């Protein structure tokens, strides 16, 4: 890692398509596209890695079609790197039946039964061809009884081993996923199992699903304590500025979340003074940008008065503009974190983030959009 401030680190990650800077945030392109935002604009904002969902892409259009078209980069047209999740989170949220063999669920598009084994998740992700693939894991709803968390973390360990063994493409990185709910001891055990197998990077899954912030951070601490220093650490599904900044201070390098674009489509802008509802009366007829200091295309040209108007009469157009600004906000947050690490001023930045974002957690839910 190029620089450290306490446990926070910034540096570069080498992927087969090139180097990317960390800490990094990945916008979510569930079906190969960030909703409402052309991929060219996502890249222009500075994002270097896009996340897509294996579960959705394997059902439609299918991994074979993406492979025939030259892989995910050609398919999405995104100028940058890519990561595909394994489908573990969607499997849980759609109520799949889990057996030791794999997950069995109904195809959301046509109702047919689909089985996804750890081996299938590997061949599918290799065919889709992202720079980073994820091992298939077993997510657990929180809160859950300890026995359930324990069973699921053991199965996650077995599936991680099978994923590792089935993964063939050495140029594609494979990350393992640590589970274990918010119990520090279970998180520690899962970390030991997953790191013993050995992966190119390690993800922390199954957090920020409704538990308290303190529990989320405690669970992250117990995982990071057992992870190797040299490899990237990825906190899945977290984009809340408070959690993102604090996780970075604990030594996490990568994040993804649907929240910035999802709340944009519901009329909320992210600003350095907190969330802002553009529908609010205060914005009516107001000839001011969302944020004076934001250099995004929206803040350069569009007034709060127009956004307020569109939020009432044309929610899609308002959603497009707000999505673009919110992604710019998220990139600015990451940039501030990188600069604070390089300037050894993480503590000052955290104090500022706590002041603005210490309220309710901004949730991403299923990191599919
Ligand atoms: Zn802006």
């Amino acid at each position: 890692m190029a620089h450290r401030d306490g446990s926070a680190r910034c540096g570069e990650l080498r992927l087969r398509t090139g180097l990317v800077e960390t800490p990094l945030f990945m916008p979510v392109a569930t079906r190969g596209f960030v909703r409402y935002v052309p991929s060219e604009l996502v890249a222009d904002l500075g994002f270097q890695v896009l996340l897509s969902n294996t579960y959705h892409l394997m059902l439609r259009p299918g991994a074979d079609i993406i492979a025939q078209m030259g892989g995910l980069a050609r398919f999405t047209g995104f100028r940058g790197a890519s990561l595909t999740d394994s489908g573990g989170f969607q499997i849980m949220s759609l109520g799949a039946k889990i057996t030791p063999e794999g997950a069995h669920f109904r195809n959301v598009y046509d109702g047919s039964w689909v089985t996804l084994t750890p081996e299938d998740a590997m061949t599918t992700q290799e065919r889709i061809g992202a720079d980073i693939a994820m091992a298939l894991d077993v997510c657990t709803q929180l809160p859950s009884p300890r026995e359930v968390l324990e069973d699921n973390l053991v199965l996650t360990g077995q599936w991680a081993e099978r994923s590792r063994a089935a993964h063939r493409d050495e140029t594609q990185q494979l990350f393992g996923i640590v589970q274990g709910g918010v119990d520090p001891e279970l998180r520690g055990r899962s970390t030991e199992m997953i790191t013993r197998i050995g992966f190119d990077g390690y993800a922390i899954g199954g957090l920020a699903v409704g538990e308290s912030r303190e529990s989320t951070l405690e669970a992250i601490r117990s995982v990071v304590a057992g992870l190797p220093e040299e490899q990237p650490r990825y906190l899945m599904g977290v984009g809340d500025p408070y959690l993102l900044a604090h996780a970075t201070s604990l030594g996490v390098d990568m994040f993804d979340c649907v929240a910035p674009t999802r709340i944009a489509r519901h009329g909320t802008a992210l600003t350095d003074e907190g969330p802002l509802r553009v529908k609010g009366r205060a914005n009516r007829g107001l000839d001011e940008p969302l944020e004076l200091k934001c250099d995004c295309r929206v803040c350069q040209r569009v007034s709060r008065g127009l956004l307020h108007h569109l939020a009432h009469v044309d929610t899609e157009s308002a959603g497009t503009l707000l999505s673009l600004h919110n992604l710019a906000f998220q990139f600015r947050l990451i940039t501030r974190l990188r600069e604070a690490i390089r300037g050894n001023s993480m503590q000052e930045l955290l104090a500022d983030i706590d002041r603005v974002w210490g309220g309710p957690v901004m949730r991403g839910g299923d990191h599919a959009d």
Side-chain angles (χ1 to χ4, degrees), residues 290-291 294-300 324-326 328-329 332:
L290 283 169
E291 291 190 279
C294 180
D295 61 1
C296 86
R297 290 166 191 254
V298 179
C299 291
Q300 295 314 302
L324 195 52
H325 165 80
N326 283 359
F329 171 89
R332 185 151 39 97

Side-chain angles (χ1 to χ4, degrees), residues 51-120:
L51 180 143
S52 292
N53 289 101
T54 300
Y55 171 86
H56 289 283
L57 292 177
M58 68 182 254
L59 298 179
R60 292 273 173 89
D64 289 339
I65 287 189
I66 296 173
Q68 271 167 35
M69 289 180 64
L72 194 61
R74 288 286 297 164
F75 180 69
T76 63
F78 178 69
R79 159 169 54 87
S82 56
L83 178 148
T84 41
D85 65 2
S86 57
F89 201 100
Q90 280 75 34
I91 287 168
M92 173 193 76
S93 54
L94 296 165
K97 186 172 177 290
I98 306 282
T99 63
E101 184 210 358
H104 314 272
F105 54 90
R106 279 192 188 277
N107 182 333
V108 283
Y109 298 100
D110 62 15
S112 63
W113 279 98
V114 183
T115 294
L116 183 66
T117 65
E119 291 79 10
D120 297 332

Side-chain angles (χ1 to χ4, degrees), residues 241-242 245-246 333 336 348-358:
Y242 180 99
H246 281 267
L333 174 65
R336 286 172 77 197
E348 288 91 318
L349 179 55
L350 286 179
D352 189 47
I353 301 269
D354 292 356
R355 176 183 65 80
V356 179
W357 296 97

